[in-house]
Amino acid sequence: MSFNTFGHMFRVTTFGESHGPAIGCVVDGCPPGLRFTQEEIQAALDRRRPGQSRFTTQRREPDEVRIISGTLPHPEGGLMTTGTPVTMLIENVDQRSKDYAAIAGSYRPGHADYTYDAKYGIRDHRGGGRSSARETATRVAAGALAAKVLPGVTVRGALVRIGEIEIDRSRWDWAEVANNAFFCPDAETVPVWTDYLDGIRKSGSSVGAVVEIVAEDVPPGLGAPLYGKLDADLAAAFMGINAVKGVEIGEGFNAARLTGEQNADEMRRGNEGRPVFLSNHAGGVLGGISTGAPLVARFAVKPTSSILTPRQTVDKFGAETDISTKGRHDPCVGIRAVPVGEAMMWCVLADHVLRHRGQVGETPHWPANP
Ligand SMILES: Cc1cc2nc3c(=O)[nH]c(=O)nc-3n(C[C@H](O)[C@H](O)[C@H](O)COP(=O)(O)O)c2cc1C
């Protein structure tokens, strides 16, 4: 199975299966001398860890990270990168492979079971093998390291919709995101989602969600106008997260409803003569290059496919059968996709900063020389 690597200069290769002994990543191209701590990587992983509320899978994985290459102790504490590949390993400790024995020969609707067999002719039925979202833990570890390439930049994510219920954006409060089990920025929506998702969970069903990721203080100039567009790379990164079925940047699909007057972000002179944008319909990217305004992306996560209701399917011999998930069940995987989305934003930005430096140096070409 090829294609386990993403990024060009900040290159992340992930490995391992859901029910193997461990998963992990190798980050190649990380600049030397970046100071970080294992605790920082762990803190990022802890935000994605399963089993933290009744609304996420009860698989008990401590997700403890071990950093096994690419670092030296920093003279002032913690670690520093050496410029060689950084390998981070996370052991799987709560596999329960027997949960999958009964469905080993059948294709779960909404999962990659059939397509895996169609392509490779062999698959690990235990939790989906490589197609399991367990792999996303390794991206979160890589993202925490990527953040060190971008001091001064802030990346934050939030859940803005579960099923039919959207937050009220006028009540958006980033501080609220850490206070609830949903990464919800609107305190008043939390009890509404709680009741709604409890109903979904008790009925054995599932529901989709929308995640929003915002990066602030990104310098202007990252990205390239044609085949290295920042927005295209972000879209690929978010689309590459399990269960993601749509990505928007800025106004996204809503841009189709707007007029030119409504959509184009007007500019005025700001500090030190730099332009400021009076709005941000573009979501921080013009012509594939960052504008310096916040990068705003949203992605839609489909409802969890493993549900308790029996579904029609076929087995690997073509016989018709029914299938339903027993045991652990996650009513909305969009919740745990929030830290994964943040990590992908960090990785794409780290990659683009290094690509930018490689071609044009440290600073954007602004202000223009008269
Ligand atoms: C953090 C996260 C956790 C997930 N956990 C589950 C899960 O417990 N059950 C499930 O059916 N799908 C889960 N998924 C989604 C599946 O991995 C995904 O739908 C499946 O591999 C098919 O791939 P696709 O939806 O991208 O086409 C999860 C996705 C994410 C992002």
Side-chain angles (χ1 to χ4, degrees):
M1 179 187 165
S2 307
F3 305 109
N4 295 287
T5 302
F6 64 95
H8 294 263
M9 302 279 285
F10 187 92
R11 218 164 39 249
V12 180
T13 302
T14 75
F15 58 86
E17 284 79 24
S18 168
H19 287 226
I23 53 174
C25 64
V26 179
V27 182
D28 198 6
C30 198
L34 296 181
R35 185 178 178 191
F36 73 104
T37 63
Q38 176 150 332
E39 290 70 32
E40 287 172 308
I41 309 285
Q42 191 62 54
L45 282 165
D46 288 349
R47 293 179 69 236
R48 181 209 156 275
R49 196 155 46 86
Q52 301 196 76
S53 80
R54 64 183 184 277
F55 303 116
T56 60
T57 176
Q58 295 306 301
R59 181 168 169 165
R60 294 272 163 218
E61 289 291 353
D63 279 354
E64 274 172 21
V65 66
R66 276 173 60 208
I67 298 165
I68 58 175
S69 74
T71 65
L72 280 173
H74 191 281
E76 288 157 34
L79 301 167
M80 65 178 174
T81 56
T82 59
T84 61
V86 180
T87 305
M88 296 189 268
L89 197 74
I90 302 163
E91 278 177 36
N92 292 323
V93 300
D94 188 22
Q95 291 98 329
R96 282 214 232 159
S97 303
K98 64 176 170 29
D99 283 358
Y100 294 86
I103 55 168
S106 304
Y107 299 132
R108 295 168 301 166
H111 280 277
D113 300 350
Y114 163 64
T115 50
Y116 234 70
D117 257 357
K119 184 174 179 73
Y120 301 107
I122 186 166
R123 78 183 161 97
D124 184 349
H125 66 272
R126 303 160 310 162
R130 271 302 273 168
S131 62
S132 164
R134 179 104 192 94
E135 185 266 357
T136 59
T138 69
R139 306 180 192 208
V140 171
L145 189 58
K148 298 294 167 183
V149 180
L150 298 141
V153 172
T154 307
V155 171
R156 293 183 289 197
L159 205 63
V160 298
R161 167 185 285 277
I162 294 184
E164 292 298 333
I165 307 172
E166 203 173 353
I167 61 156
D168 180 337
R169 300 182 78 90
S170 70
R171 295 192 295 247
W172 190 298
D173 176 4
W174 280 115
E176 183 53 34
V177 168
N179 292 339
N180 62 78
F182 303 108
F183 300 107
C184 176
D186 167 14
E188 288 184 38
T189 297
V190 173
V192 185
W193 278 355
T194 304
D195 287 349
Y196 176 57
L197 213 51
D198 261 335
I200 299 274
R201 186 176 61 87
K202 285 179 187 150
S203 68
S205 187
S206 66
V207 73
V210 176
V211 175
E212 185 159 321
I213 308 288
V214 181
E216 285 165 286
D217 299 313
V218 175
L222 303 188
L226 294 174
Y227 304 112
K229 287 187 167 189
L230 182 60
D231 43 356
D233 284 354
L234 284 172
F238 294 133
M239 203 70 185
I241 300 171
N242 309 51
V244 171
K245 297 306 282 183
V247 180
E248 294 186 327
I249 310 282
E251 284 294 337
F253 273 72
N254 192 51
R257 296 199 183 100
L258 303 181
T259 61
E261 292 84 349
Q262 290 169 320
N263 185 62
D265 302 311
E266 294 183 272
M267 298 158 86
R268 277 285 178 248
R269 183 187 161 91
N271 289 342
E272 298 160 10
R274 278 173 184 274
V276 287
F277 293 92
L278 304 186
S279 54
N280 189 19
H281 300 286
V285 194
L286 287 172
I289 300 174
S290 61
T291 63
L295 280 171
V296 183
R298 276 176 302 282
F299 57 85
V301 183
K302 74 187 192 185
T304 320
S305 302
S306 296
I307 49 176
L308 303 188
T309 320
R311 312 300 295 155
Q312 301 177 71
T313 190
V314 293
D315 68 18
K316 61 183 174 189
F317 305 107
E320 293 181 353
T321 180
D322 283 358
I323 196 167
S324 69
T325 305
K326 302 204 170 46
R328 303 175 290 191
H329 160 257
D330 208 330
C332 179
V333 295
I335 301 170
R336 290 173 59 229
V338 175
V340 183
E342 293 171 345
M344 295 313 284
M345 175 70 94
W346 279 122
C347 289
V348 170
L349 289 178
D351 191 36
H352 271 275
V353 159
L354 299 181
R355 285 155 70 173
H356 177 80
R357 269 186 216 162
Q359 188 187 13
V360 304
E362 282 291 340
T363 48
H365 289 274
W366 186 266
N369 291 325

